[in-house]
Amino acid sequence: MARTVIVGASVGGVRTAQALRAAGYDGEIVLIGDEDVPPYDKPPLSKALLAGTTTADRIGLLRANAAAEARVELALGNAATGVDREHRQVLLTDGTSQFYDDLVIATGARARPSPWGTPPGVHVLRSLADAEALGVALRAGGPLVVIGAGFIGAEVAATALGIGLDNVTVVDPVPVPLSRVLNPDVAAVFGALHTTRGVHTRFGVGVTDVKETGDGLEVYLDDGSVLPAATVVVGIGAVPNDDWLAGSGIPTDDGVLCDSHCRSIEDPHIWAVGDVARWWHPRYGRSVRLEHWTNAVEQAVCVAHNITHPEALRDHTPVEYVWSDQYDWKVQLVGRTGGEIAHVRVNGADPERSFAVLYADESDRFIGALTVNWPKALITCRRLLNRADAVPSSLPEVRALVDDVRRAARMGAR
């Protein structure tokens, strides 16, 4: 009987196991995870779980009874340490190993560590244990300094304000938040959002050190100022968990290198899913690694199909999609955005809190969108991007369609 071993028990690994069964795979499935808790979803960690509006039980991805029913063996609390490709074995911390016919690497990414050390009170946020420890610290009160104004930093700041902290500062050396995914003028809107809600922002200023004092922590900035803190959260990006593959002969370069089928470029029986996968994207003509929940789910389905139906391999050609909840704003991005890409803003029913930003390439072809509190505009944009290979849309065409969405909403409200 065929045997698939999946290393990594977050959303990519769990959804791969489930998708294998849905695709008709009848072999054995083993799901290996380094944490000794049942698999759980990670997006709520910086939002609902940290805010206390949900619990660890409610963000579970695969309970023991559901795993047993799907004939998925859970091997938790025993991290993978290497791969013996010659004998097709995954080596584990306790000295045992798991034999595989196909291996799926879904080990995700870890928070980039603090370059200023980790004295008590300095936190990162990537795991359930991280979120629980941070929640305790925030509820103890005192000033919070968040280093990094990406999605994690912005969400932590918003959540902290929501649970009652009244002294929250976000620091980032870039002049605007979310600079990796938004162009400066749009990103500035989100900087203003945090400021108007009561967050202190120190953009364009870097951190030089974090030191423990008798009263807590001090965060030293490169403009010579010092911020007192009871808690510091470091959100400066993520690093793919591919270092455990050293010596295995599995090629890595900021992720496991894969072909367009998400299969290792060196071994047809090894696959990668989620944040740890760097695969050849046929639509873009280059290798891509995405740290998006939706990509992990879609990639899992692709890999499960390819393992189950090797005679009909599929390419993985997703249109990127990511969301963020900040205060009462639902922020959603689809396709390619940010940088110096040409763009146009279309206001929704309430321009102060409902709008879309549409992006186009050099040929005026629609390639991405940001929407804020406007789900119908997002649906329109996703539909157009998903059909783009066959029927590409121009920016004026998309703008007219989004305008139609706004007008229809106004007519319906009358």
Side-chain angles (χ1 to χ4, degrees):
M1 180 180 287
R3 194 168 202 261
T4 294
V5 171
I6 304 166
V7 182
S10 192
V11 64
V14 170
R15 291 300 178 90
T16 301
Q18 294 169 332
L20 281 166
R21 291 295 183 228
Y25 184 82
D26 196 42
E28 298 177 358
I29 300 175
V30 180
L31 183 64
I32 297 171
D34 59 344
E35 296 180 76
D36 60 358
V37 297
Y40 58 88
D41 210 8
K42 291 189 173 180
L45 296 182
S46 58
K47 298 176 284 246
L49 189 90
L50 192 60
T53 58
T54 194
T55 63
D57 288 342
R58 293 171 63 185
I59 63 171
L61 287 171
L62 185 64
R63 300 184 188 278
N65 59 344
E69 185 177 340
R71 293 183 293 121
V72 175
E73 178 187 339
L74 294 178
L76 305 176
N78 196 11
T81 59
V83 177
D84 179 347
R85 288 175 55 202
E86 181 180 357
H87 299 97
R88 290 196 185 178
Q89 291 183 327
V90 177
L91 311 178
L92 303 175
T93 301
D94 66 359
T96 62
S97 61
Q98 291 275 5
F99 169 79
Y100 65 87
D101 290 298
D102 282 283
L103 169 63
V104 180
I105 299 168
T107 43
R110 61 188 180 276
R112 191 176 299 280
S114 164
W116 311 285
T118 55
V122 175
H123 297 256
V124 295
L125 182 55
R126 195 74 187 187
S127 69
L128 178 61
D130 292 339
E132 291 174 338
L134 179 57
V136 170
L138 294 182
R139 285 169 176 80
L144 167 66
V145 175
V146 179
I147 303 173
F151 283 126
I152 291 295
E155 289 170 359
V156 168
T159 301
L161 224 64
I163 63 175
L165 269 70
D166 59 3
N167 188 347
V168 178
T169 303
V170 178
V171 181
D172 200 301
V174 299
V176 288
L178 303 174
S179 59
R180 289 176 57 193
V181 294
L182 298 178
N183 45 293
D185 59 320
V186 177
V189 174
F190 292 90
L193 170 67
H194 288 284
T195 301
T196 58
R197 297 302 175 100
V199 171
H200 306 291
T201 57
R202 298 296 304 275
F203 298 140
V205 181
V207 174
T208 59
D209 206 354
V210 178
K211 294 182 179 180
E212 186 178 8
T213 71
D215 297 323
L217 297 164
E218 290 182 336
V219 180
Y220 291 77
L221 307 184
D222 61 13
D223 65 358
S225 58
V226 180
L227 300 174
T231 303
V232 172
V233 176
V234 179
I236 54 174
V239 181
N241 288 320
D242 58 8
D243 48 337
W244 66 281
L245 298 169
S248 67
I250 300 172
T252 64
D253 182 9
D254 187 41
V256 178
L257 295 177
C258 297
D259 62 16
S260 62
H261 310 306
C262 305
R263 178 179 55 185
S264 167
I265 61 173
E266 285 294 325
D267 192 319
H269 296 286
I270 295 177
W271 314 77
V273 164
D275 295 5
V276 75
R278 176 172 290 281
W279 83 101
W280 185 261
H281 197 307
R283 181 180 295 175
Y284 298 158
R286 58 183 174 85
S287 64
V288 172
R289 186 175 72 84
L290 297 179
E291 297 174 6
H292 300 162
W293 187 94
T294 307
N295 175 67
V297 171
E298 294 175 347
Q299 202 164 31
V301 173
C302 179
V303 166
H305 168 87
N306 289 342
I307 291 173
T308 309
H309 302 287
E311 76 289 351
L313 294 175
R314 292 178 183 169
D315 289 336
H316 181 49
T317 57
V319 174
E320 302 97 312
Y321 170 71
V322 64
W323 77 92
S324 177
D325 297 309
Q326 299 175 33
Y327 310 103
D328 56 348
W329 281 28
K330 184 76 171 184
V331 183
Q332 297 172 288
L333 295 104
V334 59
R336 285 177 285 169
T337 62
E340 298 303 320
I341 301 175
H343 58 279
V344 61
R345 173 169 168 158
V346 181
N347 289 327
D350 179 1
E352 293 297 318
R353 61 182 310 276
S354 173
F355 60 90
V357 180
L358 312 176
Y359 292 84
D361 65 12
E362 298 83 356
S363 302
D364 211 26
R365 184 178 62 179
F366 176 55
I367 59 172
L370 157 75
T371 67
V372 175
N373 298 327
W374 199 357
K376 289 186 178 179
L378 176 81
I379 291 169
T380 297
C381 292
R382 288 190 80 176
R383 175 175 55 81
L384 294 172
L385 288 168
N386 282 321
R387 74 169 196 182
D389 282 347
V391 188
S393 303
S394 68
L395 186 61
E397 174 190 357
V398 178
R399 180 172 185 172
L401 290 171
V402 173
D403 274 331
D404 287 344
V405 170
R406 179 185 56 191
R407 283 191 287 269
R410 285 180 175 174
M411 291 294 292
R414 291 178 181 176

